[in-house]
Amino acid sequence: EAAGFGGPIWPVHPTRRQIAGRAAVRSVAELPEPPDAAFVAVNATATVEIVRELAELGAGGAICYAAGFAETGAAGAELQARLDALVATADTRLLGPNTNLNAFELFDDLPGPALALVTQSGHQGRPIFQAQAIGVAVSHWAPTGNEIDLEAADFVGWFATRPEVGGVAAYIE
């Protein structure tokens, strides 16, 4: 649940009529209006189609979790090329694919300027939670995945403007 968001949340699922107590629609086309952000948690092939539908609808952005793109070989690279071409001609921004849900973890509210972390690999960011246990304040984490659209530099630049951020760390492959 998006605590404190205050806007509408519309689950999309082809067969379920309700998710987490909210009415679900069967497809992106059934959404009552373009979402500000869409969280796409389907396989790689379906990701391409869902992002196409979101772009046609005019969604502000999409976060794509699926692996199975260029990091997996020729077939995945072809899927990634299709997704890249689609996003290049759309106004919809994309984080990922091959990112993870950990980007939306809540961090402990520790005193002092905090660290913002940018990683291409979601796995490399996990130690940041261990750092909190020894008093390292963390405010943000952006695992950028395959960087079809939004990339590490976008997040480093944005984090650098945030008053709660005292420094930006990056693990870039």
Side-chain angles (χ1 to χ4, degrees), residues 44-66:
T45 302
T47 292
V48 176
E49 179 60 23
I50 298 282
V51 170
R52 183 190 61 72
E53 292 173 0
L54 288 164
E56 288 174 357
L57 189 63
I63 300 168
C64 299
Y65 301 107

Side-chain angles (χ1 to χ4, degrees), residues 18-159:
Q18 193 175 65
I19 296 174
R22 295 181 184 277
V25 297
R26 287 191 169 105
S27 69
V28 169
E30 292 181 25
L31 291 171
E33 63 185 90
D36 292 331
F39 301 86
V40 182
V42 295
N43 67 44
T45 302
T47 292
V48 176
E49 179 60 23
I50 298 282
V51 170
R52 183 190 61 72
E53 292 173 0
L54 288 164
E56 288 174 357
L57 189 63
I63 300 168
C64 299
Y65 301 107
F69 289 91
E71 77 282 0
T72 62
E78 190 274 324
L79 277 176
Q80 185 161 321
R82 286 177 42 207
L83 189 57
D84 187 24
L86 191 155
V87 171
T89 62
D91 291 330
T92 301
R93 303 302 308 264
L94 184 106
L95 174 59
N98 195 25
T99 187
N100 65 42
L101 292 167
N102 302 107
F104 302 98
E105 296 280 345
L106 296 176
F107 296 105
D108 295 337
D109 190 17
L110 299 174
L115 178 69
L117 177 65
V118 180
T119 64
Q120 285 178 305
S121 168
H123 176 72
Q124 298 305 321
R126 294 304 301 161
I128 205 67
F129 294 100
Q130 295 168 325
Q132 294 238 305
I134 60 170
V136 176
V138 179
S139 60
H140 304 85
W141 175 25
T144 59
N146 292 16
E147 298 188 350
I148 281 181
D149 178 27
L150 296 172
E151 58 187 33
D154 295 310
F155 290 95
V156 169
W158 187 79
F159 292 154

Side-chain angles (χ1 to χ4, degrees), residues 1-2 5 7-11 22-23:
E1 183 71 26
F5 169 63
I9 298 173
W10 302 302
R22 295 181 184 277

